[in-house]
Amino acid sequence: MYNEFDLDKIDIDIDSEPPTEEPFRQYYFMAKCRDWVRAFEQKNGRCPTAFTQTFGCQMNARDSEKLMGILTEIGFCETEDENADFVLYNTCTVRENANQRVYGRLGYLSTLKKKNPSMLIALCGCMMQEPDVVAKIRKSYRFVDIIFGTHNIFRLAELMWRRLDEGKTAVDIWEDTSLIVEELPSERKYPFKSGVNIMFGCNNFCSYCIVPYVRGRERSRKPEDIVSEIRRLSASGVVEVMLLGQNVNSYGKTLDTPVTFAGLLRQVESVEGIRRIRFMTSHPKDLSDELIGAMAASKKVCRHLHLPVQSGSSRILKAMNRRYTKEQYLELVGRIRAAMPDISLTTDIIVGFPGETEEDFQETLDVVRQVGFDSAFTFIYSKRTGTPAAAMEDQVPEDVVKDRFDRLLKEVQDISARVCARDLHRVKDVLAESVDDHSAGYVTGRLDNNTIVHFPGDASLIGSIVPVYLEESRGFYYMGRMVSDGDRIQD
Ligand code: SF4
């Protein structure tokens, strides 16, 4: 779709009306903004630079690739330096301190803007979906030029034009939307792999989580749109896709013709050139036997599943509104392992949820021991204003939480070092992702179960999947050496 657009062919004369339909409307405004860029180049003898900073999750990272795609389509040159002509923060608000970080950085940006008054500053993402945040920015950070949210990420060009044309801060926050606009340019971070948004929003309302309030209700992209995006990605050299959603397991429920997530996986599997399919994030209550079957039967779906448990205590899981019990989680893991014995399981765990007792915490440790996770993202509970949990009694004292956090981390790391060595002395396929920053002459890649491998090689290997003999396990990663296909020990 989008590479059919030639901005120079779009009529942007003074009396032309912008199209109402998306994404055509945004290409119209990209063309308008491009005029401003050309004037800037004539005046300054260089192209204007753009910098984006992403806070938070992989969905934000994917959105930022599109935001930079729009900026480069308009004519900006991407820079790694915050001292740029256009600076955009794509914000996160999952934890209270995330907001403080952004306010801190805005202070620094204001000093840069004093030196470069034509600099444009834009803020978008989850934090901007909070009305009190927008009010604070409009009052105390008046130098911010554009403010928009999570539902209208695609409108960057239109809002930039409004700012340039009207000369005042452009603010555009949507309460919610059913609109999905994905056919936009994007500047991907990696040429060989890409995130693909398959759905937006979340209906689960876990009591500690702000996401449903800032990302809105669940809405799924049509499978044909997802598959055609993945075909385009494959044609441009992508071999691995990460299907993204706050809760991918409830994919398809809002479609006119519902399609299950397992059904979507089967469609994506048929795309030529794609060798690996990953997805996140899964919610245990929606992970079906159909999905387990589809994963086990697939040649491309990676043997890694991120399955947040959050707590091992059924009492705490109830207070978290997770809608499964400890037993149900363990039983689900049993079914997954029965179908895919070599699968790598990772998880998220919160310590110190209001009311958590030592017994509850022991239940969490018990789940960690029983499952044997490859790794776990462990978080200290963070009170998030606007969530039901923030109003709960029995906030756990900090020193108690810290002690439990340290004990959990030790348990997780001990187990991780043991289970991550499962493929030692075997030949496994590794997707080479980057040259190793720490050891010259080495590259870094990942097994399909997401474990990191370092092995001798150079940049010419990046993006290819090569057979590597795993010589040594060093806790959560391997050292290896590339071998020829003939040396592969059949699994
Ligand atoms: S599933 Fe729960 S934790 Fe995850 S985004 Fe939705 S509400 Fe938040």
Side-chain angles (χ1 to χ4, degrees):
M1 166 77 86
Y2 63 82
N3 50 23
E4 286 154 17
F5 280 89
D6 179 345
L7 296 189
D8 294 326
K9 292 207 180 86
I10 298 177
D11 170 16
I12 51 169
D13 290 351
I14 195 80
D15 50 9
S16 68
E17 275 302 309
T20 51
E21 200 192 338
E22 298 293 3
F24 310 102
R25 184 178 175 83
Q26 296 315 309
Y27 284 96
Y28 171 90
F29 284 109
M30 286 183 223
K32 287 276 215 189
C33 293
R34 178 175 277 187
D35 265 13
W36 177 86
V37 166
R38 292 207 169 117
F40 180 101
E41 286 169 342
Q42 257 151 22
K43 186 166 158 237
N44 300 284
R46 64 174 178 83
C47 79
T49 54
F51 168 89
T52 58
Q53 174 70 52
T54 305
F55 298 88
C57 65
Q58 293 199 33
M59 289 198 80
N60 258 17
R62 181 67 188 131
D63 286 343
S64 294
E65 289 181 341
K66 269 174 257 156
L67 292 163
M68 186 48 84
I70 293 168
L71 290 166
T72 46
E73 190 78 15
I74 290 171
F76 283 85
C77 297
E78 184 170 6
T79 174
E80 300 299 316
D81 182 350
E82 209 158 356
N83 194 359
D85 300 298
F86 190 97
V87 172
L88 184 146
Y89 283 177
N90 187 3
T91 64
C92 165
T93 192
V94 84
R95 305 174 73 77
E96 205 91 14
N97 58 13
N99 292 19
Q100 299 318 319
R101 274 180 66 201
V102 170
Y103 292 134
R105 299 283 288 267
L106 284 175
Y108 169 61
L109 286 185
S110 69
T111 60
L112 293 178
K113 186 149 183 171
K114 289 202 181 82
K115 294 189 205 116
N116 175 12
S118 66
M119 175 186 193
L120 293 172
I121 297 171
L123 301 175
C124 68
C126 294
M127 188 179 158
M128 299 309 125
Q129 289 293 140
E130 299 178 271
D132 56 350
V133 166
V134 175
K136 177 175 173 147
I137 288 169
R138 299 194 73 172
K139 182 159 164 281
S140 320
Y141 302 89
R142 293 168 184 273
F143 55 85
V144 171
D145 301 282
I146 304 169
I147 305 173
F148 55 125
T150 56
H151 304 306
N152 56 350
I153 285 282
F154 61 90
R155 280 169 64 108
L156 173 59
E158 180 166 353
L159 297 171
M160 185 193 294
W161 180 252
R162 197 193 299 173
R163 165 65 187 76
L164 295 169
D165 191 38
E166 299 171 5
K168 58 184 173 60
T169 301
V171 181
D172 190 27
I173 307 292
W174 296 5
E175 184 79 17
D176 208 338
T177 182
S178 57
L179 203 55
I180 294 178
V181 179
E182 285 286 319
E183 297 83 4
L184 292 163
S186 111
E187 283 296 318
R188 282 204 325 275
K189 192 158 174 230
Y190 301 98
F192 54 86
K193 68 176 180 177
S194 180
V196 176
N197 291 330
I198 65 168
M199 65 179 294
F200 305 86
C202 184
N203 295 355
N204 288 320
F205 291 91
C206 301
S207 60
Y208 52 83
C209 184
I210 196 81
V211 171
Y213 307 93
V214 292
R215 286 268 178 184
R217 297 293 62 71
E218 286 173 7
R219 55 198 195 280
S220 298
R221 291 179 68 194
K222 295 196 201 95
E224 57 270 26
D225 294 345
I226 296 168
V227 170
S228 67
E229 179 180 347
I230 294 176
R231 281 214 178 87
R232 279 201 303 272
L233 290 170
S234 170
S236 71
V238 165
V239 293
E240 179 179 298
V241 288
M242 168 69 87
L243 307 181
L244 294 169
Q246 257 82 34
N247 176 17
V248 293
N249 300 128
S250 55
Y251 169 81
K253 292 184 178 156
T254 57
L255 294 170
D256 299 341
T257 323
V259 173
T260 64
F261 182 51
L264 175 69
L265 277 183
R266 282 189 279 268
Q267 293 188 35
V268 174
E269 173 106 12
S270 68
V271 177
E272 293 241 350
I274 295 297
R275 307 251 325 256
R276 287 183 170 181
I277 304 168
R278 298 186 184 280
F279 58 84
M280 74 190 308
T281 300
S282 290
H283 194 298
K285 76 172 173 54
D286 299 315
L287 204 149
S288 66
D289 287 345
E290 187 206 3
L291 176 58
I292 295 173
M295 290 180 72
S298 163
K299 294 251 172 313
K300 298 182 180 181
V301 175
C302 291
R303 286 290 180 270
H304 168 232
L305 183 60
H306 187 65
L307 195 63
V309 67
Q310 304 298 7
S311 172
S313 152
S314 296
R315 193 181 71 82
I316 294 294
L317 287 169
K318 191 158 185 356
M320 286 176 164
N321 192 30
R322 290 290 288 174
R323 283 172 279 165
Y324 54 84
T325 63
K326 172 187 179 182
E327 292 67 29
Q328 286 166 330
Y329 186 88
L330 291 173
E331 197 266 327
L332 173 62
V333 167
R335 280 186 281 132
I336 293 165
R337 282 246 159 89
M340 295 166 279
D342 59 343
I343 195 157
S344 150
L345 288 174
T346 58
T347 195
D348 297 340
I349 301 173
I350 295 174
V351 178
F353 186 81
E356 183 191 72
T357 63
E358 179 58 26
E359 290 68 40
D360 294 320
F361 178 63
Q362 286 302 327
E363 295 271 32
T364 297
L365 289 179
D366 185 42
V367 167
V368 167
R369 292 182 193 119
Q370 287 202 45
V371 175
F373 293 107
D374 281 55
S375 71
F377 296 98
T378 50
F379 304 94
I380 288 184
Y381 168 72
S382 160
K383 197 169 157 177
R384 198 61 194 79
T385 314
T387 64
M392 287 180 184
E393 305 289 312
D394 295 340
Q395 301 285 333
V396 183
E398 253 180 61
D399 58 333
V400 174
V401 177
K402 182 77 184 62
D403 162 63
R404 287 178 189 162
F405 184 80
D406 295 345
R407 281 190 279 149
L408 174 67
L409 209 52
K410 172 136 187 14
E411 191 77 38
V412 165
Q413 287 172 345
D414 291 354
I415 291 170
S416 170
R418 202 175 60 243
V419 295
C420 281
R422 65 166 72 77
D423 292 316
L424 187 58
H425 301 150
R426 300 179 73 180
V427 175
K428 299 293 281 185
D429 279 343
V430 175
L431 171 56
E433 298 201 347
S434 61
V435 286
D436 187 335
D437 307 336
H438 309 291
S439 324
Y442 275 72
V443 292
T444 299
R446 286 177 189 274
L447 300 178
D448 91 326
N449 73 7
N450 216 29
T451 308
I452 291 171
V453 183
H454 303 290
F455 60 101
D458 61 32
S460 67
L461 287 175
I462 292 174
S464 14
I465 297 180
V466 293
V468 174
Y469 176 69
L470 305 177
E471 275 172 324
E472 191 192 342
S473 168
R474 297 208 183 149
F476 57 88
Y477 67 91
Y478 289 100
M479 299 304 291
R481 62 181 159 78
M482 227 168 88
V483 295
S484 67
D485 259 334
D487 294 339
R488 188 185 300 284
I489 303 165
Q490 288 311 312
D491 287 340

